[in-house]
Amino acid sequence: MQSFIKDADTKQEENDLMQQWVNDVRDVAYETEEVIETYVSKAAARSTFDLVTKPFHLYKVGKEIESIRMRIREISGRRNAYGVERNSRGEGRGVNDRLRWWRQPSPHVEEDDIIELVEDTKALLTQLTSMESRRRVVSVVGMGGLGKTTLAKRLYNHNDVKNHFDCRAWIYVSKEFRRRDILQGIVTDVNALNRVEMDVLEKLKEEDLLKKLHEFLEERRYLVVLDDVWSMEVWDCLEKAFPSGKTGSKVMLTTRNKEVALHADGEGIPHEPRILTENESLQLFCKKAFHGINSLPRELNKLGKDMVMRCGGLPLAVVVLGGFLSRKSKSTEEWHRVFRNITWHLTKGQDRIATILSLSYNDLPSHLKSCFLYLGLFPEDVSVQTKKLIHLWIAEGFLPQEGEETAEGVAEKCLNELIDRCMIQVVRLNSLGRVKTVRIHDLLRDLAISQGREEIFLEIHHGNKAEQSETISTKSRRHAIHSRYDRYVFLKKFAPHLRSLLFFNREYNVDVERNRMKIGFIEKKLNVIYKNFKLLRVLDMEGVRVVSLPDTIGSLIQLRYLGLRKTNLEEELPLSMGNLQNLQTLDLRYSCFLKRIPNVIWKMVDLRHLLLYTPFDSPDSGHLRMDTLCNLQSLPYIETGNWINNGGLANMTSLRQLGIDGLSRQQVTSVISMMERLQDIQSLSLSLTEQEMFPILTGLSYCEHLQKLCFYGRIEKLPDPQEFPPNLIKLTLHNSELQRDSITKLERLPNLEMLVLGDGSYNWREMVFSSESFPKLEILKLHLLKELEDWIVEEKAMPKLKHLVINRCEKLKQIPDGLKLATTLKELEIVGMPVEFEYRLRTKDFFEFKNTPSIKSTTDMLAIGLGSHQNVGWPETQFG
């Protein structure tokens, strides 16, 4: 059945009968899966599956299978009439397509997908950098797909804008906004709270959050971008957070509604970006279709121009069409076929874009279609963590298995292909340049939802409309709750078909006592899930304020993904969790009140990702038995315990990420000795108990795949360069009390790209980076080096440095002269430094950093005992 679907999927957009045939096959495939999984679920519940009832269950499932066989014969008989040819190899795509899909991903930067609109940029830049005495609102208005967000982001990252404002924040708003989420996002971006306040950010009342933000911005020239604002209500509930501030402060809106823009600032003139000219559209199209080439081949010139003209100058349409054709043969026959199927004469306005988007969707391989549709479950304009998305895809079983490649590796290639096809957008890269978060454009999300509903792939629950329960298909296999949980007891009727249930509501505050009655009500309603949804593969309750889980959670034996992040769990998890032997991901991070994890994890033999970390008070985990977890890949945090020497660590031969807290010197020696067995380890973090000291760290040179290394605690002697992992890219040190000569060892690490020297890592007055040291270092962060006074950087040191952070190094007098003329340095970030240091940077040193596009600083006066926040303004020059 999957073989037929793969072949027919490529043809169904051409034939309504074909589409109906594919739907019939899909229905019977789902039914087959449900029959088998239901039988397995009952067989696992031994109390209801004994010698007496087993014959009855076998008879029942036999009748169901025979009924399915009859349907299959009927559907198969219609195959030839619909033009579907059987592919005995089970592949509906050619060899070249598969080779293309397995290519190595290229780096992704959003700036590649834009055309410089000089007039628009210049006009908005003038508005943003004007020096009115009161805060003004600058608005960008236009239809979806016009490039409002792209233009705003271009301005947000413009060097003149960066240097003009003391602090900046970018927030996605969307239709279903929550004021608290927006306020928290702005507070985080502008560093409005000190470290202590940030640790309790979620406990702050909403009004206190607004007040603190208002007070912080009042003393600064700020820029806050509110992207994708749909209603006047958004501005009404946020306006009080934005004071006049220092002269020249701005709020920037992007919206599809001009009335929203005028409501925010009646004296402002909303800017409406123009559509692309034919030449600009052609330039952008060529960039996407031919990977940077600026002109069309002669034989494709007329066809290419005709297709680009049909895009109507809308950047999104041009980008998606170009991305689609980049994977097609560059022949006139292929391009003629694409042009005919677009059926431009039947489409107008927004439908024209939808047609292009559908064309791009239909061209996806079967597994990528599922991966793309899955993004429709997430709320509008939300940034999705790629690690979480990959874990969900794997749990759903979307991905093909090829050779010895891990499922996570296959999933990452799927993600990169969707990015290359312009189906999803990169939001953030991590410190090493890999994709950290992604999002999906509103129009593409609309496509995912409409297509997903048509294929009974997904449903989304909004609001509390009673009639919604009547219009939603009872056969949909994945449901996302974007509203109040207690309104959806009717989910029970979806139980036979439901495979995934994801919650995205953040309704209840972390104040457990005040909301205990509400929480109890939620738990009662959630019991419906545990008792009835026996075939669930994914249950993500992140942010749902539950205090405990019932024993019935153990009946969900098909569960692959269980997300309990940011819940209020305060009791020990039930022992029945040990029944979840198919579980692949268990996420308990930030379950702030959970004290202990029952010793049943060892039963989850398929577990791949065990995520436990909670700041300050992580649940007790050192007692766990771990020796059966040979499939475990991610264990970023766990307490030390007997599991290390009782076969637990030695048997984790699939481990990629490991972090252990509370180690003794002897235990560190044991861990290091086992590293040779962990051939795939990529990230290692070791933290000592107080008063302990790391032994001589030899033995890590065997770890060829180890790229990230982090040590918390005193280091007796730093290894020589050849004793470090040969491919080490990132090194983080805290409380290391390094010897004076340690820098001479670190600077000879041949592949080091990022170095973090944290609190207490280097306690000497002088630090010297010698000539030609750190040959590949791109990111350097110095945090709380309280004794450092003189930092000397010799000529040709750090020749590739791009990003430098200096945070609360209170005695440091100045930035080294050797960095002032660095041509590679792109961003300099200064946090919590004394006023004298800041003043020198903003006056004497400022013009010497002429090659550094972005200089960002925040003076935290708490660091020098004055008890308030203050920014010393940049000199009023043409540079900002």
Side-chain angles (χ1 to χ4, degrees), residues 7-8 35 52 58 63-64 77 116 234 275 324 331 377 394 436 491 499 572 580 759 784 795 829:
D7 187 53
V35 167
V52 176
L58 283 172
K63 296 293 287 183
E64 290 173 332
E116 183 67 45
V234 175
I275 60 174
F324 169 67
S331 66
L377 290 166
I394 294 171
K436 186 173 184 178
L491 277 173
R499 291 299 183 275
E572 185 170 321
L580 307 181
D759 185 11
L784 291 159
E795 188 177 358
E829 187 174 348

Side-chain angles (χ1 to χ4, degrees), residues 227-258:
D227 184 36
D228 200 15
V229 179
W230 284 78
S231 66
M232 300 178 189
E233 180 187 355
V234 175
W235 180 253
D236 291 339
C237 73
L238 293 175
E239 183 178 11
K240 292 181 180 178
F242 306 129
S244 288
K246 289 172 63 175
T247 300
S249 292
K250 299 289 191 303
V251 174
M252 189 176 188
L253 305 181
T254 70
T255 179
R256 301 183 188 189
N257 189 336
K258 192 172 183 178

Side-chain angles (χ1 to χ4, degrees), residues 555-821:
S555 65
L556 304 179
I557 63 165
Q558 302 286 358
L559 210 59
R560 268 71 167 173
Y561 182 102
L562 179 57
L564 299 170
R565 188 180 185 192
K566 292 186 178 179
T567 56
N568 280 348
L569 290 172
E570 59 182 25
E571 301 177 10
E572 185 170 321
L573 297 175
L575 293 174
S576 64
M577 291 273 290
N579 296 336
L580 307 181
Q581 296 181 25
N582 291 307
L583 199 64
Q584 298 171 349
T585 299
L586 176 58
D587 190 351
L588 292 167
R589 289 173 295 176
Y590 300 95
S591 297
C592 302
F593 308 105
L594 186 64
K595 300 302 180 185
R596 185 176 174 85
I597 299 173
N599 191 17
V600 295
I601 300 295
W602 64 273
K603 297 181 181 181
M604 303 175 185
V605 292
D606 283 341
L607 200 62
R608 305 167 76 92
H609 309 284
L610 179 56
L611 311 174
L612 302 176
Y613 178 72
T614 297
F616 307 121
D617 194 14
S618 292
D620 182 13
S621 56
H623 64 287
L624 298 177
R625 177 184 168 187
M626 310 282 282
D627 58 300
T628 60
L629 304 183
C630 58
N631 293 307
L632 197 65
Q633 295 185 25
S634 303
L635 186 60
Y637 176 89
I638 189 171
E639 293 178 348
T640 187
N642 292 331
W643 64 271
I644 294 176
N645 293 314
N646 289 347
L649 185 56
N651 289 343
M652 295 179 187
T653 52
S654 300
L655 209 58
R656 265 76 171 166
Q657 181 184 18
L658 174 64
I660 309 178
D661 184 46
L663 289 161
S664 68
R665 181 186 179 97
Q666 183 177 359
Q667 288 172 325
V668 171
T669 302
S670 297
V671 171
I672 298 296
S673 69
M674 296 179 198
M675 284 297 104
E676 191 172 358
R677 290 177 58 90
L678 308 183
Q679 291 295 314
D680 295 321
I681 193 76
Q682 297 174 3
S683 174
L684 177 64
S685 175
L686 303 178
S687 178
L688 297 176
T689 59
E690 292 185 16
Q691 310 304 320
E692 288 281 357
M693 180 183 291
F694 279 105
I696 298 176
L697 297 168
T698 57
L700 292 175
S701 59
Y702 298 107
C703 304
E704 294 185 358
H705 295 100
L706 188 56
Q707 295 182 319
K708 298 181 182 181
L709 198 54
C710 181
F711 294 126
Y712 288 80
R714 296 169 61 200
I715 297 177
E716 180 179 346
K717 181 183 178 183
L718 202 65
D720 291 329
Q722 67 274 15
E723 295 175 318
F724 276 92
N727 296 303
L728 187 66
I729 293 176
K730 178 179 178 180
L731 177 63
T732 301
L733 301 173
H734 289 275
N735 299 317
S736 306
E737 299 184 14
L738 295 175
Q739 297 176 353
R740 189 189 293 267
D741 65 347
S742 295
I743 299 299
T744 61
K745 295 182 179 181
L746 296 178
E747 66 186 16
R748 286 185 286 149
L749 293 175
N751 296 305
L752 192 67
E753 296 179 9
M754 180 173 179
L755 175 63
V756 179
L757 295 178
D759 185 11
S761 61
Y762 186 87
N763 295 331
W764 302 94
R765 190 187 68 82
E766 184 180 79
M767 182 168 67
V768 179
F769 286 10
S770 60
S771 178
E772 299 183 350
S773 61
F774 296 107
K776 291 190 177 180
L777 194 69
E778 296 183 1
I779 301 171
L780 175 62
K781 297 185 178 183
L782 307 179
H783 294 293
L784 291 159
L785 303 185
K786 296 181 179 179
E787 301 302 322
L788 182 63
E789 297 182 23
D790 296 311
W791 177 24
I792 300 169
V793 175
E794 296 180 356
E795 188 177 358
K796 297 182 180 180
M798 301 184 290
K800 295 186 177 182
L801 186 67
K802 295 179 180 179
H803 186 184
L804 171 62
V805 178
I806 303 175
N807 179 13
R808 293 179 174 84
C809 300
E810 298 172 1
K811 294 183 180 179
L812 186 62
K813 299 174 183 176
Q814 66 179 70
I815 297 176
D817 291 336
L819 289 176
K820 292 178 181 177
L821 299 178

Side-chain angles (χ1 to χ4, degrees), residues 417-472:
E417 177 151 7
L418 286 172
I419 293 169
D420 286 341
R421 287 172 175 265
C422 305
M423 300 296 280
I424 57 178
Q425 302 169 334
V426 176
V427 177
R428 287 183 62 194
L429 302 176
N430 65 17
S431 58
L432 299 180
R434 300 182 72 174
V435 179
K436 186 173 184 178
T437 58
V438 295
R439 67 185 292 262
I440 184 170
H441 191 281
D442 292 350
L443 297 177
L444 284 161
R445 179 175 177 269
D446 291 342
L447 171 68
I449 293 172
S450 62
Q451 193 72 35
R453 283 176 172 154
E454 183 177 321
E455 297 181 15
I456 61 172
F457 183 92
L458 60 79
E459 280 293 352
I460 296 173
H461 299 268
H462 295 286
N464 55 6
K465 297 178 181 178
E467 67 272 14
Q468 185 168 247
S469 62
E470 302 300 325
T471 59
I472 290 177

Side-chain angles (χ1 to χ4, degrees), residues 191-207:
N191 295 314
L193 303 180
N194 60 43
R195 292 171 64 187
V196 175
E197 290 172 326
M198 284 299 294
D199 289 336
V200 294
L201 177 60
E202 289 194 355
K203 294 184 179 180
L204 287 175
K205 293 180 180 179
E206 195 167 296
E207 292 305 319

Side-chain angles (χ1 to χ4, degrees), residues 241-417:
F242 306 129
S244 288
K246 289 172 63 175
T247 300
S249 292
K250 299 289 191 303
V251 174
M252 189 176 188
L253 305 181
T254 70
T255 179
R256 301 183 188 189
N257 189 336
K258 192 172 183 178
E259 290 184 3
V260 172
L262 293 172
H263 179 72
D265 191 339
E267 297 178 17
I269 302 176
H271 183 87
E272 300 183 44
R274 61 174 176 81
I275 60 174
L276 300 179
T277 65
E278 182 178 345
N279 286 337
E280 288 168 343
S281 297
L282 199 61
Q283 181 185 348
L284 181 57
F285 172 79
C286 290
K287 185 182 292 188
K288 300 307 299 179
F290 297 95
H291 303 293
I293 298 175
N294 292 323
S295 60
L296 288 165
R298 181 179 300 175
E299 66 273 17
L300 298 175
N301 188 59
K302 185 177 185 306
L303 264 176
K305 287 184 176 179
D306 287 344
M307 282 193 277
V308 169
M309 284 182 63
R310 298 326 193 260
C311 292
L314 295 173
L316 178 64
V318 176
V319 166
V320 172
L321 180 63
F324 169 67
L325 286 171
S326 70
R327 289 166 175 77
K328 293 294 182 183
S329 168
K330 303 303 186 288
S331 66
T332 54
E333 293 79 11
E334 181 68 7
W335 280 41
H336 267 298
R337 189 189 71 79
V338 172
F339 185 65
R340 286 195 302 270
N341 289 338
I342 292 177
T343 61
W344 297 104
H345 58 284
L346 297 177
T347 57
K348 295 181 180 180
Q350 289 288 81
D351 291 339
R352 183 177 297 174
I353 305 174
T355 302
I356 295 174
L357 299 181
S358 297
L359 191 65
S360 194
Y361 169 76
N362 290 332
D363 188 59
L364 292 174
S366 179
H367 60 278
L368 279 188
K369 285 182 176 178
S370 296
C371 293
F372 171 74
L373 293 180
Y374 205 78
L375 285 158
L377 290 166
F378 290 84
E380 187 179 24
D381 281 334
V382 72
S383 293
V384 183
Q385 295 285 334
T386 55
K387 283 187 178 180
K388 178 175 181 176
L389 183 61
I390 284 171
H391 297 167
L392 289 167
W393 283 348
I394 294 171
E396 293 282 359
F398 293 154
L399 309 171
Q401 184 61 51
E402 293 286 333
E404 297 183 358
E405 179 72 87
T406 65
E408 286 75 11
V410 175
E412 188 168 1
K413 289 177 181 178
C414 287
L415 179 77
N416 283 306
E417 177 151 7

